[in-house]
Amino acid sequence: MPPVTTTIILIAVALVAVGLYLSWTAGRLDRLHARIDAARAALDAQLLRRASVAQELATAGVLDPAASIVLYESAHAARSAEPEQREVAESELSQALRAVLAETDTVTAVRQAPGGTAAIGELTQAVRRVPMARRFHNDAVRAARAVREHRVVRWFRLAGHAPFPLAFEMDDEPPAALTAEGGASAL
């Protein structure tokens, strides 16, 4: 075989290898973006569930009127927040939950009301699932960012027109009365 033919074959093999690598990387990035979308949908569902349970608790008549108003307004704000204000509204709901359910006496009083045990159990599950869903979402965002920061991905624009993924940062610490002994007796 003449040396020119060998060179052409080597160049063709190299181009095919580079093309396969670029295709694999673009596919991986696409899968990561799909994972972010799925994780965001799960996070949104958990946040909506937490706000709904908080609103139900606020309107059940088992809390004092001031606590009911604070909890209801925070939950309503979290449910109706614009996307740009969602993190702040959800953080404020977390703070309202911690303020309203700060003491185990309040949780015990709610639990003793008709349907209170179920409400506290559902709220406990909701406040535990939000941090997990947020962690899954933020892990997916971190993985996609790591791939998108590679030079090859930027040079060949493998991300296409997909927006740069953003983490969801919020205060998701649950009320102390719902964790440890409070949450254990509710489940």
Side-chain angles (χ1 to χ4, degrees):
M1 227 185 312
V4 173
T5 306
T6 306
T7 305
I8 291 174
I9 291 173
L10 289 176
I11 290 173
V13 168
L15 287 175
V16 168
V18 168
L20 287 174
Y21 173 74
L22 292 175
S23 175
W24 176 81
T25 303
R28 179 174 176 224
L29 194 54
D30 187 50
R31 288 188 301 275
L32 286 171
H33 282 122
R35 189 172 134 205
I36 289 171
D37 291 342
R40 182 60 187 238
L43 175 61
D44 285 342
Q46 292 305 322
L47 291 171
L48 181 63
R49 181 172 183 245
R50 181 181 77 150
S52 298
V53 172
Q55 273 187 322
E56 287 177 21
L57 182 62
T59 58
V62 295
L63 299 172
D64 65 83
S68 292
I69 290 171
V70 167
L71 191 57
Y72 182 84
E73 287 180 355
S74 296
H76 178 70
R79 288 182 74 174
S80 61
E82 295 295 322
E84 303 84 32
Q85 300 298 319
R86 183 93 188 264
E87 294 172 349
V88 173
E90 293 294 346
S91 294
E92 288 173 355
L93 176 56
S94 295
Q95 293 165 2
L97 284 167
R98 283 197 306 271
V100 169
L101 301 172
E103 299 176 14
T104 54
D105 295 343
T106 306
V107 174
T108 303
V110 171
R111 195 175 277 127
Q112 291 173 351
T117 302
I120 289 295
E122 195 171 344
L123 184 61
T124 300
Q125 288 178 355
V127 299
R128 285 184 179 168
R129 288 179 179 167
V130 166
M132 288 188 299
R134 189 173 73 86
R135 193 172 316 120
F136 288 140
H137 175 267
N138 288 348
D139 286 347
V141 166
R142 198 172 355 258
R145 283 181 173 182
V147 172
R148 286 182 72 146
E149 289 173 357
H150 288 100
R151 285 187 195 130
V152 173
V153 173
R154 290 189 316 241
W155 289 343
F156 289 97
R157 300 173 138 306
L158 297 181
H161 297 288
F164 193 74
L166 299 173
F168 194 87
E169 298 299 334
M170 65 171 273
D171 173 8
D172 59 7
E173 183 181 337
L178 292 182
T179 58
E181 75 281 353
S185 59
L187 300 175

